C-alpha cells in the first residue's frame, strides 16, 4: 500500500495552484510526515502510524468531497487527480481506522499490566 499512498499523496504538490490545492497538499504530506518519528521510535512500521492519517486525511477527504460537489470550477486533470486521491486515501483510512483501534486497545492492555507506582496494586 505504501507504494501507492506515497506517490499519490506527494502528487498533491503538483496541484498547489488549484482551488484548495495548497491546503490539500499540506494535509496529504503532513499525514505522511508525522509518521517519520513514529517509524523511528518503532524501528519500522507500527499500527500507531494510522493516527496521523486519521488526523490529517479525514479533513482532507471532506475538503475534496466539498470541492467535487460544490460547483467550484476545476480543471479536468485536477478532478481526475482528486478522485484518485479520494479513492486511495479512503481505502487507506478504512485500514487506518481498524489499525488505530487495535493500537489503542493494545496500549490499554499494556497499561493494565504495568505495575503501579511503588509496585503496589
Amino acid at each position: 500500500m505504501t507504494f501507492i499512498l506515497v506517490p499519490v499523496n506527494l502528487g498533491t504538490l503538483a496541484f498547489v495552484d488549484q482551488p484548495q490545492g495548497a491546503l490539500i497538499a499540506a494535509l496529504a504530506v503532513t499525514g505522511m510526515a508525522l509518521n517519520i518519528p513514529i517509524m523511528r521510535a518503532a524501528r519500522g512500521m507500527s499500527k500507531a502510524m494510522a493516527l496521523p492519517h486519521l488526523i490529517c486525511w479525514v479533513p482532507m477527504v471532506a475538503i475534496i468531497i466539498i470541492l467535487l460537489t460544490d460547483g467550484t470550477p476545476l480543471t479536468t486533470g485536477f478532478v481526475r487527480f482528486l478522485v484518485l486521491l479520494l479513492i486511495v486515501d479512503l481505502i487507506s483510512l478504512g485500514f487506518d481506522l481498524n489499525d488505530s483501534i487495535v493500537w489503542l486497545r493494545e496500549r490499554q492492555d499494556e497499561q493494565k499490566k504495568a505495575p503501579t507506582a511503588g509496585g503496589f496494586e
Side-chain angles (χ1 to χ4, degrees):
M1 190 74 164
T2 301
F3 296 111
I4 296 170
L5 279 177
V6 173
V8 170
N9 281 282
L10 286 177
T12 58
L13 297 171
F15 295 97
V16 294
D17 62 336
Q18 297 296 311
Q20 299 298 329
L23 179 57
I24 291 169
L27 290 168
V29 173
T30 302
M32 294 185 302
L34 290 174
N35 279 320
I36 294 169
I38 295 171
M39 289 176 65
R40 289 185 60 119
R43 295 194 168 117
M45 302 296 233
S46 165
K47 291 197 182 302
M49 293 171 63
L51 299 173
H53 290 175
L54 292 172
I55 292 167
C56 295
W57 291 355
V58 167
M60 182 185 69
V61 163
I63 291 165
I64 293 169
I65 291 169
I66 291 167
L67 263 179
L68 292 173
T69 59
D70 74 352
T72 300
L74 305 171
T75 64
T76 304
F78 190 44
V79 170
R80 288 180 180 161
F81 178 76
L82 288 176
V83 170
L84 172 66
L85 181 63
L86 185 63
I87 291 168
V88 167
D89 284 356
L90 280 174
I91 291 169
S92 178
L93 286 170
F95 289 104
D96 291 334
L97 182 59
N98 182 62
D99 285 350
S100 63
I101 291 168
V102 169
W103 182 79
L104 288 168
R105 285 184 180 155
E106 288 172 354
R107 297 279 299 170
Q108 287 175 340
D109 291 344
E110 288 173 12
Q111 288 180 350
K112 288 178 185 175
K113 293 177 185 176
T116 59
F120 302 104
E121 294 187 22

